Amino acid sequence: MKSQFYQKNDHNKPQVIGLFLYITGLLLGYMIPVASAAQTMNFSYVTGCAEANVDPACLKCGIRGCMKCPNLILVDDRRCVDDCPTGYTEIWSSAPDYMGRICYPVGLSGSFLTALVGVTLGAILCFTMLLVAASLIRKKHRRRLIRNVLIDDKITRHDFLRQLSELRPQSEYFLQMLNDTRRQIRKLHLSGDSEAASIYNPVIRDLAKILILLNKPVELLHEPPHDWNRL
């Protein structure tokens, strides 16, 4: 009988050992995260915290900085203050990373007010730059119009005839450019690209006008054309 009892216990021994190891694993799995979390939180309960960026009057610190002050704590930068500044109200904290009374921003105050002022100033600056750019473009366009109106006053008949005499030896090249441009326009029309062909029309007009002036007798050239400088 005794021998059978020991044999039965020997038969259950692996099950007991397995149950013991299972319970031990559960305990270790629970204790290790708890210890790690406690080490991560690393609260300091002494007056003043070790971090250099924490208010010296802070009574308790957490991983985000000061958590508790003697009187009030400003939520924006976690500074310890005696009274809430303008734009803040005194309330009891319900957040886990603040303890006691805190100064909470109300209305247009704190970081929101700073952001709003920055956006407003940026919009004003952009609007001013657009106005300046529009003014410069308008002045440039106005100068161009004035120059086009007074362009015939910038060259005398003598200078005009002198320039024509210098260009007359190049008449063949102007004629060749005119013919080449006409052939190019003809090809574009045959290919059905009339829009591209219309781009060459001002070139044809200017080349034809130059050739007319070069072949015209000097006696018939009284005044330079108003667009001579553009040509």
Side-chain angles (χ1 to χ4, degrees), residues 60-207:
K60 186 177 181 180
C61 294
I63 56 177
R64 295 184 179 180
C66 186
M67 296 178 60
K68 184 178 181 181
C69 289
N71 294 322
L72 296 163
I73 180 172
L74 201 62
V75 296
D76 286 343
D77 52 8
R78 297 178 180 267
R79 288 187 295 109
C80 295
V81 294
D82 295 330
D83 298 305
C84 291
T86 304
Y88 291 82
T89 183
E90 177 184 339
I91 61 173
W92 284 93
S93 173
S94 59
D97 53 346
Y98 291 101
M99 300 178 64
R101 297 177 301 163
I102 61 174
C103 292
Y104 192 80
V106 292
L108 300 178
S109 60
S111 57
F112 180 77
L113 180 60
T114 303
L116 181 62
V117 171
V119 171
T120 304
L121 292 178
I124 294 174
L125 180 61
C126 292
F127 184 72
T128 304
M129 293 177 64
L130 288 176
L131 287 179
V132 172
S135 177
L136 292 176
I137 293 174
R138 180 179 297 179
K139 289 182 179 179
K140 185 177 180 180
H141 183 66
R142 186 176 180 182
R143 286 197 299 267
R144 184 181 300 173
L145 291 177
I146 295 175
R147 184 172 64 251
N148 291 335
V149 172
L150 301 177
I151 194 169
D152 54 349
D153 294 337
K154 294 184 179 181
I155 183 172
T156 62
R157 183 175 183 275
H158 175 73
D159 293 334
F160 170 63
L161 295 178
R162 179 179 56 80
Q163 292 179 8
L164 281 181
S165 63
E166 294 175 354
L167 291 176
R168 280 195 178 92
Q170 312 297 330
S171 299
E172 295 182 1
Y173 296 104
F174 284 107
L175 181 59
Q176 184 178 357
M177 286 189 293
L178 179 62
N179 294 330
D180 291 340
T181 306
R182 285 175 175 172
R183 282 194 293 269
Q184 183 66 26
I185 292 176
R186 192 177 300 111
K187 291 180 181 179
L188 291 174
H189 278 298
L190 292 176
S191 63
D193 195 355
S194 300
E195 184 177 356
S198 62
I199 299 177
Y200 290 93
N201 290 335
V203 179
I204 293 291
R205 183 185 64 246
D206 293 343
L207 288 174

Side-chain angles (χ1 to χ4, degrees), residues 30-47:
Y30 173 76
M31 293 175 63
I32 290 176
V34 171
S36 177
Q39 184 177 3
T40 303
M41 293 175 69
N42 192 21
F43 290 143
S44 175
Y45 293 92
V46 296
T47 302

Side-chain angles (χ1 to χ4, degrees), residues 20-39:
F20 175 76
L21 293 176
Y22 176 74
I23 295 174
T24 304
L26 289 178
L27 292 175
L28 290 176
Y30 173 76
M31 293 175 63
I32 290 176
V34 171
S36 177
Q39 184 177 3

